[in-house]
């Protein structure tokens, strides 16, 4: 069986090259990770919120409610895909699919282990940051295409929030880049072999963490999708699987951002005894747990306060941090 | 946020957030306080107000203490007691109850019927999960229910 | 005080007849009869002397309608009843809505239930009932709505402006705490005007009272204000006891106090869960309900119900309490004190929460008289007005407790006042449990068919939202001639449009949450 697969692979490699096969296999693996992650996170969110609130989360469907995400998926697939009458059809239909593209591209450069990276682009950070800005575009398209004034307001709020918080994201990363001396993610992980960057750059770590909570639209910065506020957000007009895609994108975003924090500050796949990717997943999911923990503890920040936190607190802090890092490194 | 240029306020604010996180993580590791109703049977306090039930005569368990005076029906504020009928049996001084229909959908468990009954023939039951598929299932025939309880 | 007011009234306004009334018998100190011509002057007189309008209602006496106004002071108890007789055929009365703003709503309500037309009212449209109703419900005989009045019935026609952006907050909305609909006119993120629409939960409790005896009406107050059911139960029961002159034994008074304070804590815990939920923190709700379960278990053991209690009877209680209750209550008090620490850490100290709540929804002390606000709402503006101290009932005069007040009147102050009130309630319960006497739990010789003597009475208690009052007019039969419920959420909610104007919608929702309104109370 294995011999046959190897033969077939060698034949295809003759035509397109080993590198292409590697990339295709990597992309399939990335898709699997994304989907499994979404399933795990929907279950984990409900269980974690349940236990924080002194109650059991899902427990009926499968042992410990483990099959709950499957039940949710079946329910969402079976729902009617309502398309309201006056929506801009191309924009409306494009938005849920477009929201996945930047996330999947960002997965290409994340090193799950020293050999488990789809492609080590030497400007990896730029790729990730550029594509995460693209996700803002899909939110805007969703709001515009919905032909609904509430969705428009919600998506504009979301766009303003995303843009405001990208800057501290970038600035805190620059400090890490200065220390590692390279934009490639693998090099940054390798440079943390001695001591993780979180020890050298605590402020950058905190700024990056807070900015990433805002980037993924999680509480306390989840005004765009606030339930008890008036405006239901950019995904008001979406139902069924399209709505599920938005939430899938949010969970995947959470994973990406935690993976980024792990790579830049917590040493990536480094760690004793256990294989690298196990450490990677442990660290990433611990950070995801912190995201869930935040959601069920804090109230929401008001919109003007949200923008104030970014412009008046995070940006000056990260700029200062960058200056100090640069000063210490070069002197 | 007014304290943004004030580092002490920022540190204090951040500390308050961490304290809040500490509260929730402590709760995360403590046991759940919910009871798995209906799988778990709950202890009901003896004074719980379920629907009313008839109390049997301790000297003659075949009949209830009810003398069919109709006071409960007259004083019910919601008109939930629909039919109270009885007949006078041979050799008995008081009437015996034959039909007692309680429409539980309009009962507010106020206890006035239990209170005004001159012979204390009504009491509250501990039935905390009555279910039915239609309104008819909630029209209880208390005499039937008494007979069923007696048969047990 | 009373004689002074009476003299001043007679001196300054002609045509006003005053008469001193017996407080023990009637619940008010002074009656004054005004004429349509000088009603506005009478209202102005009371406003100048910082009286607030406690209640305004109407009683149908067959050949004339009587409008009854109750004025009272925050600083000391001086209740004045002003009556204004209008004819039954085509009742017309002057509106005092330019003096007391709360009458905007009171007059709309009286108009739709009795048919009284108020001259000078800016917008006399229906408040609770729907526009198609063809008679005036609370009249004793069926009086149809005349054709020319039907033009007034069309209540809600939002102006069709080009730039107007109308949004409905409710009636189904997680943050309106009940079935309340607010029509909000927005300009981007800011609110230009907010207009509450009521009546979704109107169940005619006041009409029901006229068709049931005093005893049969007992389950109803619990449905009027369901979180604080025992408190309204107490209002009803003490009113009738005062009217009939029934003496309640000591033990029953103490148990009434203890259970009412437990209910007050339960009601405040419900609010404590819902308020951060409006702001996005969903966890304190569950923690508050965990504590609330303890209270509900204690109260279930003695009353048999968990939410809509029907425990008090005229002259005492339905059944006695036992030692298990005493022990459980003591254990609960101890446990609750520790829980306050958790709440402090999770919510009160949280910087995000403080920044949302501080400085928003500021209500000035000077406006409270015009609206007649009561309860934690008015205490947060700095006025220490609490019916338990102003007009002590049950055993509150024998227990030592303080009234918490705020300073600014913003959302954070209302929050702090309620949290401190919970601690005060724990102190009251502790002291009352320690002093609980033995004895009978019910007065003897209370007639089964209660027929109070002729007359009227107003009696108020401090419910968890403010002053809940009952005005009963008795005609010697066993059903009340008129029973009017004065509810605190009504006058508190009236301030919302003025508070919400010009604010962000996020702040308006937080403010609405901090009011702790219960819509079934408003709609009755």
């Amino acid at each position: 069986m294995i011999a046959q697969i190897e033969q077939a692979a060698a034949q295809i490699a003759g035509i397109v090259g080993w590198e292409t096969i590697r990339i295709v296999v990597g992309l399939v693996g990335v898709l699997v990770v994304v989907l499994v992650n979404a399933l795990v996170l929907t279950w984990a969110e409900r269980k974690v919120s349940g236990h924080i609130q002194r109650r059991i989360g899902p427990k009926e469907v499968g042992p410990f409610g483990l099959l709950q995400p499957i039940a949710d998926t079946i329910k969402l697939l079976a729902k009617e895909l309502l398309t309201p009458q006056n929506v801009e059809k191309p924009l409306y239909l494009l938005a849920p699919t477009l929201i996945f593209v930047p996330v999947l591209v960002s997965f290409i450069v994340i090193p799950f282990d020293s050999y488990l990276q789809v492609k080590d682009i030497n400007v990896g950070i730029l790729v990730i940051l550029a594509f995460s800005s693209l996700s803002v575009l899909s939110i805007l398209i969703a709001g515009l295409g919905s032909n609904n004034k509430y969705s428009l307001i919600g998506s504009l709020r979301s766009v303003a929030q995303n843009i405001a918080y990208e800057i501290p994201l970038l600035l805190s990363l620059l400090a890490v880049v200065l220390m590692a001396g390279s934009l490639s993610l693998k090099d940054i992980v390798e440079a943390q072999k001695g001591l993780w960057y979180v020890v050298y750059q605590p402020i950058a770590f905190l700024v990056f963490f807070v900015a990433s909570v805002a980037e993924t639209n999680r509480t306390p910065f989840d005004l765009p999708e606030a339930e008890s506020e008036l405006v239901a957000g950019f995904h008001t007009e979406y139902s069924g699987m399209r709505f599920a895609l938005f939430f899938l994108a949010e969970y995947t975003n959470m994973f990406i951002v935690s993976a980024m924090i792990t790579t830049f500050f917590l040493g990536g796949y480094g760690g004793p005894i256990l294989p690298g990717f196990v450490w990677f997943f442990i660290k990433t999911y611990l950070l995801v747990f912190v995201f869930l923990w935040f959601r069920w503890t804090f109230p929401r920040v008001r919109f003007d306060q949200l923008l104030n936190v970014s412009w008046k607190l995070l940006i000056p802090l990260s700029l200062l941090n960058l200056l100090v890092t640069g000063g210490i490194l070069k002197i | 946020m007014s304290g943004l240029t004030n580092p002490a306020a920022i540190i204090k604010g951040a500390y308050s957030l961490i304290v809040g996180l500490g509260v929730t993580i402590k709760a995360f590791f403590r046991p759940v306080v919910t009871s798995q109703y209906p799988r778990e049977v709950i202890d009901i306090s003896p004074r719980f107000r379920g629907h009313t039930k008839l109390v049997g005569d301790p000297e003659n368990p075949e009949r209830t203490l009810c003398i069919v005076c109709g006071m409960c029906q007259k004083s019910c504020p919601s008109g939930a007691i629909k039919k109270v009928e009885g007949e006078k049996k041979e050799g008995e001084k008081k009437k015996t109850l034959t039909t007692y229909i309680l429409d539980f959908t309009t009962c507010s468990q106020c206890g006035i019927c239990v209170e005004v009954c001159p012979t204390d023939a009504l009491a509250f039951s501990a039935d905390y999960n009555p279910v039915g598929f239609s309104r008819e299932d909630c029209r209880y025939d208390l005499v039937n229910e008494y007979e069923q309880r007696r048969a047990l | 005080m009373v004689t002074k007011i009476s003299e001043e009234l007679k001196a300054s306004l002609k045509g006003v007849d005053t008469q001193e009334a017996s407080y023990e018998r009637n619940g008010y100190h002074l009656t004054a009869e005004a004429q349509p011509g000088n009603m506005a002057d009478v209202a102005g007189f009371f406003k100048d002397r910082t009286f607030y309008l406690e209640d305004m209602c109407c009683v149908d006496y067959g050949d004339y309608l009587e409008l009854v106004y109750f004025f009272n002071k925050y600083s000391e108890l001086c209740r004045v009843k002003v009556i204004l007789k209008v004819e039954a055929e085509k009742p017309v009365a002057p509106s005092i809505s330019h003096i007391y703003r709360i009458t905007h709503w009171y007059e709309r309500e009286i108009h739709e239930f009795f048919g009284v037309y108020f001259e000078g009212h800016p917008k006399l449209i229906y408040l609770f009932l729907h526009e198609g109703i063809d008679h005036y419900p609370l009249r004793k005989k069926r009086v149809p709505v005349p054709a020319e009045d039907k033009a007034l019935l069309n209540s809600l026609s939002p102006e069709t402006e080009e730039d107007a952006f109308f949004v409905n907050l409710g009636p189904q909305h997680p943050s309106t705490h009940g079935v309340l609909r607010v029509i909000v006119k927005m300009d981007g993120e800011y609110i230009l005007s907010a207009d509450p629409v009521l009546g979704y939960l109107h169940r005619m409790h006041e009409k029901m009272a006229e068709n049931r005896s005093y005893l049969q009406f007992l389950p109803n107050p619990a449905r009027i204000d369901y979180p604080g059911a025992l408190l309204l139960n107490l209002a009803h029961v003490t009113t009738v006891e005062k009217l009939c002159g029934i003496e309640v034994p000591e033990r029953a008074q103490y148990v009434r106090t203890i259970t009412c304070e437990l209910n007050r804590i339960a009601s405040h815990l419900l609010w404590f869960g819902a308020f951060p939920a409006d702001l996005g923190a969903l966890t304190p709700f569950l923690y508050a309900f965990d504590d609330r379960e303890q209270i509900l278990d204690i109260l279930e053991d003695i009353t048999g119900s968990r939410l809509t209690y029907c425990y008090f009877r005229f002259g005492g209680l339905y059944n006695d309490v036992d030692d298990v209750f005493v022990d459980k209550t003591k254990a609960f008090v101890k446990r609750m004190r520790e829980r306050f620490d958790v709440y402090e850490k999770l919510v009160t100290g949280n910087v995000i929460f403080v920044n949302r709540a501080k400085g928003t929804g500021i209500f000035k002390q000077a406006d409270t008289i015009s609206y007649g606000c009561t309860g934690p709402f008015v205490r947060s503006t700095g006025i220490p007005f609490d019916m338990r101290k102003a007009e002590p009932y049950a055993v509150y005069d024998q227990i030592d407790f303080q009234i918490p007040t705020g300073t600014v009147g913003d959302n954070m102050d209302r929050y702090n006042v309620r949290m401190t009130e919970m601690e005060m309630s724990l102190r009251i319960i502790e002291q009352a449990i320690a002093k609980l006497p033995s004895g009978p739990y019910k007065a003897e010789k209370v007639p089964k068919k209660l027929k109070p003597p002729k007359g009227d009475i107003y009696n108020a208690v401090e419910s968890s939202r403010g002053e809940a009052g009952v005005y009963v007019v008795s005609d010697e039969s066993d059903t009340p001639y008129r029973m009017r419920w004065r509810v605190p959420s009504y006058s508190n909610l009236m301030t919302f449009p003025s508070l919400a104007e010009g604010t962000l919608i996020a702040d308006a929702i937080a403010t609405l949450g901090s009011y702790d309104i219960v819509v079934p109370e408003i709609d009755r």
Side-chain angles (χ1 to χ4, degrees), chain C residues 196-212:
Chain C
V197 177
L198 307 170
Y200 284 91
L201 213 51
H202 180 64
R203 292 152 296 164
M204 280 322 296
H205 278 284
E206 296 182 358
K207 189 78 180 176
M208 271 200 260
E210 294 176 14
N211 293 324
R212 281 160 178 67

Side-chain angles (χ1 to χ4, degrees), chain A residues 52-55 149-150 153 157 219-220 227-230 295-305, chain C residues 165 167 169 173 186 189 277-283 286-287 350 352 355-356 360 504-507 509:
Chain A
I52 285 183
Q53 295 168 352
R54 309 285 301 277
R55 57 182 176 90
K149 45 194 174 192
Y150 312 158
I153 291 188
R157 271 191 195 164
T219 317
E227 294 160 354
S228 49
E229 302 282 321
L230 194 60
R295 178 174 185 186
W296 299 105
T297 313
F298 297 136
R300 213 168 283 132
V301 180
R302 209 175 56 208
F303 192 58
D304 56 329
Q305 294 168 347
Chain C
F165 183 87
V167 153
L169 202 53
H173 194 91
M186 294 177 62
E189 217 33 68
D278 282 342
L279 301 176
L282 304 160
T283 319
L286 275 298
Y287 294 165
N350 192 319
I352 304 176
N355 277 308
R356 281 298 291 272
T360 56
L504 291 163
I505 190 123
D507 286 340
I509 291 187

Side-chain angles (χ1 to χ4, degrees), chain C residues 106-219:
Chain C
Y106 280 138
E107 288 171 357
R108 280 167 70 180
E109 187 185 341
I110 294 178
H111 171 74
E112 68 186 349
F113 284 122
F114 288 92
V116 179
Y117 183 74
F118 286 93
E119 285 170 337
H121 191 281
K123 203 175 179 199
L124 198 64
I125 54 178
Y126 275 21
L127 188 64
F128 294 135
L129 301 177
H130 98 99
E131 294 91 32
I133 196 162
D134 59 351
H135 65 285
Y136 296 117
L138 273 178
R139 295 268 265 227
K140 292 292 176 180
K141 292 204 290 277
R142 191 186 171 92
V143 175
V145 177
E148 60 266 19
D149 276 354
K150 288 220 183 229
L152 285 173
L153 297 181
N154 189 5
S155 40
L156 301 157
S157 46
E159 307 103 66
T160 48
E161 296 166 22
E162 275 302 310
D163 288 333
F165 183 87
F166 283 100
V167 153
N168 268 327
L169 202 53
Q172 293 139 328
H173 194 91
S175 77
T176 52
H177 303 291
V179 199
L180 172 70
R181 174 179 171 206
V182 184
I183 301 183
V184 173
K185 182 162 138 190
M186 294 177 62
D187 167 28
E189 217 33 68
Y190 287 89
I191 295 182
L192 294 175
S193 73
D195 193 19
V197 177
L198 307 170
Y200 284 91
L201 213 51
H202 180 64
R203 292 152 296 164
M204 280 322 296
H205 278 284
E206 296 182 358
K207 189 78 180 176
M208 271 200 260
E210 294 176 14
N211 293 324
R212 281 160 178 67
S213 69
Y214 292 94
L215 183 68
Q216 284 180 324
F217 189 69
L218 273 172

Side-chain angles (χ1 to χ4, degrees), chain C residues 335-393:
Chain C
R335 179 202 137 107
M336 193 71 204
R337 289 226 161 91
E338 290 156 26
R339 295 287 286 178
F340 280 133
D341 196 38
V342 169
Y343 295 151
E344 173 81 31
K345 283 192 209 163
L346 184 60
V347 186
T348 318
N350 192 319
V351 65
I352 304 176
F353 178 81
V354 169
N355 277 308
R356 281 298 291 272
K358 247 204 174 93
T360 56
I362 299 179
F363 190 70
K364 297 199 240 320
Q365 200 180 59
D367 294 333
T368 52
I369 293 180
S370 179
Y371 287 101
C373 319
T374 52
F377 190 77
V378 82
R379 289 199 275 279
S380 72
T381 61
I383 301 177
F385 175 64
D386 189 327
M387 294 310 281
R388 293 175 288 178
K389 290 274 192 197
E391 229 183 329
Y393 50 95

Side-chain angles (χ1 to χ4, degrees), chain C residues 283-329:
Chain C
T283 319
F285 190 77
L286 275 298
Y287 294 165
F289 266 67
D290 185 11
D291 292 328
R292 202 159 169 268
E293 277 298 294
Q294 314 290 322
I295 300 180
L296 261 48
D297 282 341
I298 295 176
L299 287 173
E300 183 189 352
D301 280 339
I302 47 166
T303 69
S305 318
R306 291 174 73 89
L307 189 71
T308 48
Y309 308 101
C310 186
Y311 181 51
F312 302 144
R313 292 290 187 269
F314 304 121
L317 316 164
Y318 183 74
N319 55 259
D320 202 0
V321 300
D322 49 5
D323 288 329
V324 175
F325 170 74
V326 175
D327 294 332
K328 270 191 170 180
T329 313

